[in-house]
Amino acid sequence: MNDSLQARAQRDEDGGGVDEAAATAQFLLRAPLRSLDARGCRARLPGGGTASLAARVAAFFAAPRAGLPLLVGALPFDPQADDALHQPEWLAPAAALPASPVPRFSGSVSAEPSAQHYADAVRQALTRLQQPAPDLHKVVLARSLHLHSGQPIAPRELAARLGHDPSVATYLVPLPIDGPEPPAWLVGATPELLVSRRGTRVLSHPLAGSARRSADPAEDARTAQALLGSAKDHDEHRHVVEAIVTALAPWCTHVEADARPSLHATATMWHLGTRIEATLSDAATPVAALVAALHPTPAVCGTPRQLALDTIRALEPVPRGFYAGAVGWTDADGDGDWYVAIRCARVQGRQARIYAGAGIVADSEPALEVAETAAKFGALLNALGVDHVPSA
């Protein structure tokens, strides 16, 4: 990095000397595989659905262009909606995000839908899942909390507070907006790797099956063991692993998944996780093609995919947007890392919308799914300084 870019990056870190255009083109990913702090926007990838992602990325890098051979951004949950990827101007030095105190939230919080209406939606899904010969085997139903803050919400500071949990990948992604609106961001800390590619090596680490952690060590250990022994959660998890293995098989000579899921812990939740490794048959297959084959997985959608998508559209009152999509990067060599966009909020000015979902299978219980989504709100609510949410 030359001296002028180094100085500009340092001014960004200090919070000064950044115009609005630069401020709205910050992409941050703090993750075990690779961390990126990308600034500015040199060019945007033409938007499109996930099925055309690999072709659009290939055309972008095939065209003569200066700048970094890198695209960063986010994919929406709906595989037919437009994604939001751009080529950054430069990469800032990798550094820990500065700690900031958690502000005391003042404002209003509304549930979308209420806990009762969410439980009703789960019951509607169960009527289909519990048929003698069901066509739908799993569906992930989400709900959200809409926050109106008395003060502007600083997305980078929020990301810094979420980044205190070393078990997650923290991200900050600029989102497209309509007209003269304040900049919008997807801010989150996800524990789930959708897919990574380095040369011919492919890695995925899906999570499905969850339980809230306890501050009491003995109770926390009991919760973890109960999750590990839960037939319902293993059934939910199995659908995800089988779908990913099946989706990777046409692209790979060898796909290996752990025989049984293991426990994966975040600061607020226990999850069942399975590590999946594969080797590409063709070294030219880019990560964008693998993303298109996998997204959305049963971990955030359900199975069969189209029936689950239709059920979600019918039962969820708030469109997901980029929640339960994917965030990550790809380079001109076809390498990249993509994470499932969960444990996140859409932040815009003084407003934030937080999302959480739960996998519904035939033996799910509505009250427990309400409790699971409430627990998944925890990390974002803590980072935003929200102490209590009525009717959530």
Side-chain angles (χ1 to χ4, degrees):
M1 179 180 294
N2 63 39
D3 291 342
S4 63
L5 291 186
Q6 179 76 44
R8 187 175 177 188
Q10 185 60 54
R11 289 199 303 273
D12 286 0
E13 289 294 335
D14 295 339
V18 185
D19 61 26
E20 185 174 2
T24 57
Q26 297 183 44
F27 172 91
L28 176 71
L29 180 66
R30 287 282 186 269
L33 294 175
R34 184 186 182 187
S35 292
L36 288 172
D37 196 343
R39 309 294 181 90
C41 176
R42 189 177 188 91
R44 297 190 184 279
L45 180 73
T50 307
S52 67
L53 178 63
R56 287 182 287 117
V57 169
F60 183 90
F61 287 126
R65 66 177 68 250
L68 296 171
L70 179 70
L71 286 166
V72 299
L75 314 180
F77 169 71
D78 185 343
Q80 296 182 337
D82 282 353
D83 45 34
L85 278 73
H86 69 273
Q87 179 192 25
E89 285 278 10
W90 79 98
L91 298 179
L97 290 171
S100 63
V102 179
R104 185 174 181 82
F105 178 81
S106 62
S108 64
V109 182
S110 56
E112 306 169 321
S114 68
Q116 181 58 55
H117 283 109
Y118 178 78
D120 290 341
V122 173
R123 293 185 187 96
Q124 291 182 61
L126 286 172
T127 60
R128 187 166 185 175
L129 289 161
Q130 293 173 347
Q131 295 293 321
D135 51 358
L136 181 67
H137 303 295
K138 175 187 176 181
V139 62
V140 179
L141 293 181
R143 61 190 184 109
S144 60
L145 301 176
H146 194 191
L147 284 66
H148 292 260
S149 173
Q151 300 293 328
I153 300 171
R156 195 171 179 90
E157 292 182 6
L158 177 59
R161 292 192 291 272
L162 291 169
H164 291 166
D165 185 348
S167 65
V168 298
T170 306
Y171 55 92
L172 169 70
V173 187
L175 296 180
I177 55 175
D178 296 323
E181 298 180 357
W185 311 87
L186 192 70
V187 187
T190 176
E192 187 165 2
L193 175 67
L194 175 64
V195 65
S196 171
R197 179 225 195 237
R198 296 290 191 280
T200 59
R201 182 173 180 265
V202 175
L203 177 65
S204 180
H205 192 215
L207 306 178
S210 307
R212 186 200 295 261
R213 298 199 65 183
S214 171
D216 180 307
E219 179 61 28
D220 194 47
R222 285 192 292 270
T223 298
Q225 290 307 308
L227 177 63
L228 200 57
S230 167
K232 177 262 182 188
D233 288 289
H234 276 267
D235 184 42
E236 178 187 339
H237 188 83
R238 175 180 56 81
H239 289 300
V240 180
V241 174
E242 289 178 352
I244 291 177
V245 169
T246 299
L248 289 176
W251 303 94
C252 300
T253 56
H254 178 70
V255 182
E256 183 175 343
D258 292 341
R260 289 181 59 81
S262 58
L263 289 169
H264 180 89
T266 69
T268 58
M269 299 292 296
W270 285 108
H271 299 284
L272 294 179
T274 294
R275 183 180 176 90
I276 301 172
E277 296 188 53
T279 302
L280 288 174
S281 305
D282 182 353
T285 301
V287 72
L290 303 177
V291 171
L294 295 176
H295 175 69
T297 74
V300 293
C301 180
T303 185
R305 180 186 289 177
Q306 190 57 53
L307 288 176
L309 281 168
D310 293 342
T311 304
I312 289 167
R313 291 172 181 139
L315 295 179
E316 291 185 7
V318 177
R320 294 188 179 187
F322 286 83
Y323 161 69
V327 296
W329 61 272
T330 183
D331 63 18
D333 293 328
D335 286 340
D337 302 325
W338 289 87
Y339 294 84
V340 182
I342 53 176
R343 309 295 192 278
C344 63
R346 184 185 189 275
V347 175
Q348 187 173 31
R350 297 172 185 263
Q351 299 186 51
R353 178 170 278 116
I354 304 173
Y355 302 86
I360 315 303
V361 292
D363 54 351
S364 292
E365 298 180 30
L368 295 181
E369 307 307 331
V370 170
E372 179 177 328
T373 52
K376 289 175 177 176
F377 287 136
L380 264 297
L381 291 175
N382 291 340
L384 286 163
V386 180
D387 296 326
H388 177 65
V389 181
S391 303

